Amino acid sequence: MSEKAVVIEAPGGPEQLKLVDVAVGEPGPGEIRIRHEACGLNYIDVYHRNGAYALPLPARLGMEGAGIVEAVGEGVTHLQAGDRAAYASQPPGAYATARVMPAKAVLKLPDAIPFDTAAAMMLKGLTVQYLFKRTLPQGGLQAGDFIVFHAAAGGVGLIACQWARTLGLQLIATAGSDEKCQLALDHGAVHAINYRSEPDFAKRVREITGGKGVKVVYDSVGADTWEGSLNCLAPFGLMVSFGAASGAVPPFSVNALAAKGSIYVTRPTLFTHLASQQAAQAMGDDLFSVVASGEVKIRIDRRYALADVAQSHRDLEARLLTGSAVLLP
């Protein structure tokens, strides 16, 4: 069976992304074959393409998608042919019309959630789920607590702003323009800081919190925000580094964590949390619930044809996108 998929032969720029014919066979034990209706676009795809996160070559890209299950392999019991389904899953390969893949992190999609919404939300929404429900500071988070969330106008950030509001958290957003700051406020952030016009965002966070700092900082930016993020934290606060859009976090002395108030640091990954089908289902059910209820709305800023994948990466790297974006096979 011949289908289309995006492949890179070598790491590099968007020009490396090629749409080619590929063979898609039958699913083996623990696998499914899914025909995509929409595929998600994420910054981790850029890391895979440019070699920052090296993949065996030639490599296929894309970590999330939604569509119809066409066939299931031996041992797969939570899905059957004909099911609507969505996933955020390894290995990469979602940039395709159809694929065979491991079934454990593929979830049955409720009828109330459209395919493009699902493809736009699985990796981003499950990321917010594990951050807010599974990556918590000492004593957890309670309604009224202040948190800092960087890149708050992106796909992950806008979901986080809304989800934080449903939990009663006071989310302090950072973003790179006044327009993006307003977008974060419109989606539930209680304060927003433009770190380009106000580079000492930690000083502003201290002002907002009456000098106390916050229990936790969720940071996907990396090098540019690392030191400021540490300076936002209250004693025993948690620094959660879950991405590096501006570059890798530089080496640091653990003694600095003592000097800043017995600070905790963690570098979690989504796929550690999705390691079992049971965990993936529980996380997915939580995400589906808040989206189906309307408490969290998924903003899709752009829809690209799969053949225009190179342009989608140019736009992503140029920070032209707010909210989420999807590729349509």
Side-chain angles (χ1 to χ4, degrees), residues 53 55 90-91 137-138 142 187 189 191 197 217 249:
Y53 294 173
L55 296 174
Q90 292 180 322
Q138 236 187 27
Q142 287 80 41
H187 282 73
H191 298 276
S197 62
V217 175
V249 171

Side-chain angles (χ1 to χ4, degrees), residues 8 14-15 40 47 50 76 82 91 100-101 121-122 135 192 197 201 225 227 231 251 295 310:
I8 60 168
E15 70 281 355
Y47 299 150
N50 65 21
V76 177
V100 169
M101 63 179 296
M121 79 180 193
M122 291 302 290
T135 314
S197 62
F201 60 84
T225 50
E227 189 64 29
N231 292 335
E295 293 177 312

Side-chain angles (χ1 to χ4, degrees), residues 27-43:
E31 295 181 330
I32 66 159
R33 186 175 72 238
I34 186 169
R35 179 161 300 281
H36 290 130
E37 297 289 336
C39 316
L41 183 69
N42 296 281
Y43 213 89

Side-chain angles (χ1 to χ4, degrees), residues 67-94:
I68 300 292
V69 177
E70 290 189 326
V72 302
E74 181 183 352
V76 177
T77 59
H78 67 290
L79 295 166
Q80 60 185 3
D83 281 348
R84 303 173 78 252
Y87 66 87
S89 179
Q90 292 180 322

Side-chain angles (χ1 to χ4, degrees), residues 160-293:
C161 289
Q162 296 173 83
W163 209 329
R165 179 173 55 192
T166 72
L167 297 172
L169 302 175
Q170 300 194 70
L171 186 145
I172 303 170
T174 75
S177 71
D178 290 343
E179 293 77 13
K180 289 183 176 182
C181 284
Q182 187 59 54
L183 191 59
L185 291 169
D186 292 344
H187 282 73
V190 296
H191 298 276
I193 304 167
N194 181 345
Y195 55 72
R196 298 196 189 281
S197 62
E198 200 168 0
D200 190 359
F201 60 84
K203 178 181 177 182
R204 180 73 181 117
V205 168
R206 291 283 175 179
E207 291 172 355
I208 291 168
T209 60
K212 295 179 180 179
V214 299
K215 281 188 173 183
V216 60
V217 175
Y218 296 109
D219 188 345
S220 63
V221 176
D224 289 354
T225 50
W226 173 257
E227 189 64 29
S229 293
L230 293 178
N231 292 335
C232 291
L233 289 165
F236 308 108
L238 174 63
M239 173 63 194
V240 182
S241 176
F242 70 100
S246 69
V249 171
F252 65 95
S253 169
V254 294
N255 291 334
L257 306 180
K260 293 179 185 297
S262 301
I263 299 302
Y264 294 81
V265 174
T266 185
R267 179 47 173 103
T269 70
L270 170 62
F271 296 107
T272 308
H273 290 276
L274 293 175
S276 71
Q277 199 277 319
Q278 292 78 12
Q281 190 66 59
M283 293 170 65
D285 288 345
D286 197 14
L287 174 61
F288 294 152
S289 177
V290 296
V291 172
S293 72

